[in-house]
Amino acid sequence: MDSVRKVLILTLFISFFSFASKTEIKLPDVVFPLEIVAKKKEEKPPLQPPEVLPLTNIKLPTLPKLPLSYPTDLRPILGDLIKPKAFLGIPKEKGWLASIIDDFKDGNFVLAYGEAKDYINTYKNKKNIDKSLLATAYYILGYSSYEIKDLDTSVKSFSKACSFDFYLKPESCISTSIVSLVLGDLNKAKKYLKLSEDSPEKKFIDAVITALQKEEYKKLKDVNCENLDVGLVNYCHYSKAYQELYDGNIDKAISYLKQTQDYDKYKTLMLGYIYLKKGDLKKAKQIFNDFLQKFGRADLLSKYAIYGNLLIALKEGNVQQVLDNIGSLEIRDKDLAQVLYINLALDFFKKKDYVDALALAQRALTLSPKYKDQLKKFIAIAAYNAGYYKYAYNILKTINEPKYYLYTGYVLLKLKNYPEAEYYLKKALKSSKDKNVKTQALKYLADLYFQSDEDKKLIEVLKQLVKYDKKYTANMLGWFFFKKGDYQKAFKAFQDSYMKAVSAFNMGADKVALALANKLNTRKAKFLKAYIYLKHRDFENARKLLKELSNGNDKLAQEAGYLYAYSFFANGEYDKAAKAFEEFYKKYPDTPLGKRAYLRMADSLYNLGEKEKAKQLYIDFMKKYAGTPEAVDAAYLLTLMEVKEKQPNVEQQIETFIKEHPNYP
């Protein structure tokens, strides 16, 4: 035990026996075990790595990336058509185009469509035709084609008009981009957008293309829908709702949605996630369920409603519901399922269920490489916290970051691989700029060198550590001197009050030690006080403390209980000692102290004169604990009793014992 000098574990005697001759044998009258010595032994426990590592930060989107619907209601830019001047339809190319423009302005798009086509076929190969007239016809054909739903002809006609240098060129180029966008041809939309002049419409279309191609909505932030051509406003309101939603501006998102016509599926899903973000889980669940009822689970967008419902279930604590249904989501969208698995893993991690957190994170990693690096760290930490140190080590050693070098050092300490632990701790120290990482690395290196008696390395590390933690460094120096037996230097170095008191005791300054211990209200300090009282035979004060400290089952409680019984033995109160040792043995029968208490009980009976009882206890002990060091103690004591009683063959018994146990104290 820590509090009792282990050098004299076995029973000593006030007088040593000797063999002056074969007939002269001197033995003590009473057995007196020396349990209290002038030096109190303390050993610095190894600095243990943390039992759990902190949760690694996985940056998950608060909302899923809902798809932005391709525009279905964007309209080409309506330019201000200028009628060419003609007199009674002459010249014909001007008169005919003027007539087409009249039909167009009157809304006769079918008629304008046919006439514009004929006009283009008539004049497109005429060398002397005014190109602006032909370009205007292409523009009219493009717009009219859009109105009658012939989008392919529309985009071709607008793009042709865009190639001419005429007054409607800007409208033609941007309209080409708009119709291409409606057709889903983002590359073409982008190409003709570059040919367009700067305008609010161009800025908006560019933002839409970016949102559709890259799922980035930042460009939409600077768009003002009210500055746009009327044919773009509705889709602008719809897309701005997305931008505000992902920027976290819930009220603005709702406002834009209220101004948006059509796009019902997308609006419904957005509203569901808006209420989810607001924390109104009941309303969000209702919206998602309405979506599934209205559009069915087979709809391509239904996965977002299913995912939303599972997120709500997780927030409500219905983990089993999520586990039961996540498989069907995996089939529909692995990325959404991955985020859900990660959320589950985080939930289990926060509940300290590291085994299930690890399993869920591993499952998430198999679905998609999207969060690979973050999941790798999460899995390593969960494995460490679950106690799977070899598995954690295999992952941690592949992560090239200073903090994870430190963690790798921790796990190697857990695995008792000290040389490699030293390597990673030094690597963390060298590569990190983080003060905390450096401090921890130095502390564990210092402890490694202390435990392995590498004094020079220890001192070098402490020279660095003092810059970060003066108190810890001082205490390490205290331990260094204490271990060397230089208690005066240890006393000066220690800032730890308890070890300062122990150092004072060991250098003979019992009053100083007692004064320091009196200032502490810890169990260890109280035990030290009891130890000092026992040394000075102040049994009354010692027993009060030892009785208090013996309540419990930890190591200190056992030591206190044992010394409580011993206090009677040391004072010659053998009847009370025998009873106290017996009670202690019954409470801790198979512990080292319990076995020792059994022998002290026999010693007490021996000293009371009940030698046969003591002898029988030794014999019973030897049978019960055969092969243990304590059984040898019993054999030794039994041999001494038989020597004292001058049993036959005593000399042979002694010689046999010495032969069997040549190193016995």
Side-chain angles (χ1 to χ4, degrees), residues 514-570:
L514 190 60
L516 286 168
N518 279 329
K519 294 178 181 179
L520 302 173
N521 193 31
T522 64
R523 295 177 74 226
K524 286 180 71 175
K526 289 179 180 179
F527 190 81
L528 176 62
K529 286 166 62 178
Y531 199 83
I532 295 169
Y533 290 143
L534 280 177
K535 180 182 174 183
H536 292 276
R537 303 186 67 78
D538 183 353
F539 296 112
E540 184 179 353
N541 281 322
R543 285 172 190 158
K544 285 179 183 178
L545 288 171
L546 292 170
K547 188 72 174 175
E548 174 193 338
L549 294 169
S550 64
N551 292 323
N553 287 302
D554 64 355
K555 187 178 179 182
L556 193 144
Q558 291 184 41
E559 293 171 355
Y562 178 86
L563 285 184
Y564 176 78
Y566 164 77
S567 70
F568 294 109
F569 193 100

Side-chain angles (χ1 to χ4, degrees), residues 428-652:
L429 175 63
K430 184 178 179 180
S431 61
S432 181
K433 294 181 180 178
D434 186 318
K435 180 182 176 182
N436 182 59
V437 172
K438 281 184 174 293
T439 304
Q440 293 303 108
L442 285 166
K443 284 182 178 180
Y444 282 93
L445 282 169
D447 190 73
L448 272 177
Y449 297 142
F450 177 85
Q451 301 295 341
S452 59
D453 294 320
E454 297 180 79
D455 295 348
K456 288 184 178 179
K457 289 184 177 180
L458 171 62
I459 298 302
E460 287 303 314
V461 166
L462 292 181
K463 285 178 181 178
Q464 297 180 66
L465 183 56
V466 72
K467 301 173 189 174
Y468 302 101
D469 194 326
K470 291 181 180 179
K471 184 177 180 180
Y472 189 90
T473 305
N475 285 325
M476 281 300 298
L477 274 174
W479 278 112
F480 173 76
F481 292 125
F482 190 91
K483 190 177 184 181
K484 298 291 183 185
D486 192 339
Y487 301 118
Q488 287 188 338
K489 286 184 179 179
F491 177 80
K492 290 179 181 178
F494 272 123
Q495 289 194 23
D496 180 285
S497 297
Y498 172 72
M499 284 308 301
K500 205 172 189 69
V502 174
S503 300
F505 175 81
N506 284 1
M507 65 189 202
D510 292 356
K511 289 183 178 179
V512 175
L514 190 60
L516 286 168
N518 279 329
K519 294 178 181 179
L520 302 173
N521 193 31
T522 64
R523 295 177 74 226
K524 286 180 71 175
K526 289 179 180 179
F527 190 81
L528 176 62
K529 286 166 62 178
Y531 199 83
I532 295 169
Y533 290 143
L534 280 177
K535 180 182 174 183
H536 292 276
R537 303 186 67 78
D538 183 353
F539 296 112
E540 184 179 353
N541 281 322
R543 285 172 190 158
K544 285 179 183 178
L545 288 171
L546 292 170
K547 188 72 174 175
E548 174 193 338
L549 294 169
S550 64
N551 292 323
N553 287 302
D554 64 355
K555 187 178 179 182
L556 193 144
Q558 291 184 41
E559 293 171 355
Y562 178 86
L563 285 184
Y564 176 78
Y566 164 77
S567 70
F568 294 109
F569 193 100
N571 200 35
E573 300 173 79
Y574 300 121
D575 53 343
K576 292 180 180 179
K579 184 178 179 182
F581 280 129
E582 182 179 13
E583 290 175 356
F584 185 89
Y585 174 74
K586 287 178 180 178
K587 189 174 182 181
Y588 306 107
D590 296 314
T591 64
L593 281 178
K595 294 173 186 176
R596 194 188 304 180
Y598 186 100
L599 295 176
R600 296 297 82 79
M601 175 176 60
D603 294 344
S604 300
L605 292 171
Y606 177 91
N607 292 346
L608 283 169
E610 299 184 37
K611 296 175 182 177
E612 287 303 316
K613 275 188 178 181
K615 184 176 180 179
Q616 190 59 48
L617 286 175
Y618 293 140
I619 293 170
D620 291 345
F621 188 92
M622 289 164 60
K623 289 179 181 178
K624 184 172 183 180
Y625 298 109
T628 66
E630 292 86 356
V632 180
D633 292 349
Y636 172 70
L637 293 167
L638 184 61
T639 300
L640 292 180
M641 285 184 65
E642 291 177 343
V643 169
K644 187 169 179 63
E645 293 170 5
K646 298 182 179 179
Q647 296 288 341
N649 303 318
V650 165
E651 183 179 341
Q652 183 181 345

